[in-house]
Amino acid sequence: MPGAIPHLIAGGAMFIIGRYYYRNYFDGEDKFKERILLAAVCLSFSIVPDIILAVYYTTHISAFYTLLPLHNFVHLIFSPIAIIVLLVLKFKVNVKREPIWIMGLWCIILHLVMDLFISEHGALL
């Protein structure tokens, strides 16, 4: 599990990718609010699956290895939810800010993939 900095870098990269991929949606001088919302969603959704670790580091409520199974459980819950919501948004629902939500869900999926493949305390342990 990489630290907070790689997750925030990934969220920033997803912001750049989303801004480029959906440039028709984000271009224009009256789209400043949408660009700010995209940045906030990408950065926050790239770290939201680690909410258990945020609670641990701020409160030290329990031992790290006691909270690690709960952290892995949250990842297992977010995985199918993010994929299902992404598919529903893409193919079934027409939402006003669809590109923003799609990029946010991709940030969650990227976060989970990073935690899965970058070892330290990944979901495979």
Side-chain angles (χ1 to χ4, degrees), residues 7-8 11-12 14-16 26 32-48 100-101 103-105 107-108:
H7 285 304
L8 292 175
M14 290 299 286
F15 166 74
I16 293 169
F26 291 110
F32 180 74
K33 185 170 63 170
E34 281 80 7
R35 291 190 293 262
I36 294 296
L37 184 60
L38 176 68
V41 165
C42 285
L43 291 174
S44 64
F45 279 29
S46 68
I47 58 173
V48 78
I100 295 171
W101 293 112
M103 290 310 297
L105 290 167
C107 285
I108 290 176

Side-chain angles (χ1 to χ4, degrees), residues 59-71:
T59 64
H60 293 285
I61 197 165
S62 183
F64 180 76
Y65 289 103
T66 305
L67 292 176
L68 200 56
L70 184 59
H71 173 258

Side-chain angles (χ1 to χ4, degrees), residues 2-120:
I5 301 296
H7 285 304
L8 292 175
I9 290 171
M14 290 299 286
F15 166 74
I16 293 169
I17 291 168
R19 175 114 192 266
Y20 177 74
Y21 186 76
Y22 293 108
R23 64 182 165 268
N24 291 335
Y25 180 80
F26 291 110
D27 283 346
E29 59 190 48
D30 59 338
K31 295 290 188 165
F32 180 74
K33 185 170 63 170
E34 281 80 7
R35 291 190 293 262
I36 294 296
L37 184 60
L38 176 68
V41 165
C42 285
L43 291 174
S44 64
F45 279 29
S46 68
I47 58 173
V48 78
D50 283 339
I51 193 71
I52 300 296
L53 294 179
V55 169
Y56 166 73
Y57 286 122
T58 57
T59 64
H60 293 285
I61 197 165
S62 183
F64 180 76
Y65 289 103
T66 305
L67 292 176
L68 200 56
L70 184 59
H71 173 258
N72 291 340
F73 178 71
V74 168
H75 277 66
L76 291 175
I77 294 297
F78 271 119
S79 299
I81 289 174
I83 292 169
I84 289 169
V85 171
L86 178 64
L87 291 173
V88 167
L89 273 176
K90 188 66 180 161
F91 297 114
K92 293 287 184 187
V93 179
N94 189 7
V95 182
K96 180 180 175 185
R97 292 187 169 131
E98 179 182 356
I100 295 171
W101 293 112
I102 287 175
M103 290 310 297
L105 290 167
W106 275 115
C107 285
I108 290 176
I109 293 169
L110 177 64
H111 173 105
L112 297 171
V113 168
M114 283 174 59
D115 281 355
L116 189 65
F117 289 112
I118 299 174
S119 64
E120 183 180 335

